[in-house]
């Protein structure tokens, strides 16, 4: 096997064969993106990049690492974000991706429940319900709002109960 092309260990200890995807050494990446290799090492030290390593401890950058590097360079070069800000942006993006996955999972569950409810004939059960309630509107017009008991008794000519506290004096 050529030097620097051994199986690598990925983020969760998974092994990735070089044939499974393209991997680039630090010198190739630094030339391709016009940055010094020390800058790439700094990004790794700061936790912004996590390249895999060969058994000889050579850094190998995957396609995903390169996409992440492009985001870092866009934030730092084009938008003027410092490395602490880049880390915050990365964390927010990770959280957003996680939340999106949770929302997608929930939507899938709701769809399954709707299919199951349709298959079980929920409409028949609704027709056989013990208590049937008419649909109620969520918003009522002012004419439909029920009057308080005090206002109803005032209209009938009954005196209103006096307030226990006196204002202004």
């Amino acid at each position: 096997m050529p030097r620097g092309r051994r199986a690598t260990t990925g983020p969760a200890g998974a092994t990735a064969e070089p044939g499974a995807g393209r991997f680039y050494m630090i010198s190739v990446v630094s030339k391709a993106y016009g940055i010094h290799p020390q800058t790439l090492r700094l990004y790794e030290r700061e936790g912004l990049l996590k390249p895999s390593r060969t058994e000889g401890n050579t850094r190998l950058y995957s396609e995903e690492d390169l996409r992440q590097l492009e985001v870092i360079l866009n934030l730092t070069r084009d938008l003027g974000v410092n490395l602490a800000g880049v880390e915050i942006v990365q964390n927010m993006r990770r959280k957003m991706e996680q939340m999106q996955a949770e929302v997608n999972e929930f939507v899938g569950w709701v769809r399954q429940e709707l299919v199951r409810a349709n298959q079980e004939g929920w409409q028949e059960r609704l027709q056989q319900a013990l208590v049937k309630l008419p649909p109620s509107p969520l918003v009522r017009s002012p004419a439909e709002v029920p009057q308080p008991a005090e206002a109803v008794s005032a209209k009938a000519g009954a005196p209103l109960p006096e307030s226990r506290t006196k204002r202004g004096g």
Side-chain angles (χ1 to χ4, degrees):
M1 192 173 257
R3 188 171 171 206
R5 301 295 261 167
R6 296 185 185 108
T8 60
T9 350
T15 356
E17 295 293 328
R22 300 189 90 170
F23 291 87
Y24 305 93
M25 294 176 58
I26 193 168
S27 59
V28 174
V29 174
S30 67
K31 286 178 185 173
Y33 287 93
I35 55 177
H36 198 277
Q38 277 301 108
T39 306
L40 290 170
R41 291 184 190 103
L42 172 69
Y43 292 165
E44 182 181 3
R45 234 183 356 262
E46 294 292 326
L48 302 176
L49 283 177
K50 295 179 179 115
S52 55
R53 301 275 186 144
T54 64
E55 290 175 9
N57 213 24
T58 302
R59 290 172 179 87
L60 291 180
Y61 293 87
S62 67
E63 297 290 333
E64 180 60 31
D65 292 328
L66 297 183
R67 280 191 288 276
Q68 190 63 40
L69 177 59
E70 289 172 5
V71 170
I72 293 168
L73 293 176
N74 179 39
L75 289 170
T76 56
R77 289 178 176 171
D78 302 339
L79 300 176
V81 178
N82 64 16
L83 296 184
V86 170
E87 183 179 11
I88 291 170
V89 169
Q90 282 183 334
N91 289 337
M92 288 174 57
R93 288 181 72 176
R94 256 191 300 281
K95 287 178 185 178
M96 287 173 52
E97 289 169 0
Q98 179 185 0
M99 290 183 342
Q100 185 62 48
E102 290 173 4
V103 167
N104 291 342
E105 181 182 340
F106 177 70
V107 167
W109 177 81
V110 168
R111 286 184 178 146
Q112 288 177 348
E113 289 298 311
L114 288 173
V115 167
R116 185 180 62 80
N118 281 334
Q119 290 172 346
E120 292 177 0
W122 64 272
Q123 293 166 337
E124 293 174 11
R125 287 191 290 169
L126 182 63
Q127 294 299 324
Q128 297 170 358
L130 294 175
V131 178
K132 294 182 181 178
L133 297 175
S136 63
L138 295 177
V139 179
R140 295 182 179 173
S141 67
E144 295 175 334
V145 175
Q147 298 290 327
E150 293 176 0
V152 172
S153 63
K155 287 182 182 176
L160 290 174
E162 292 187 26
S163 175
R164 292 185 182 169
T165 59
K166 293 185 179 181
R167 294 186 187 183

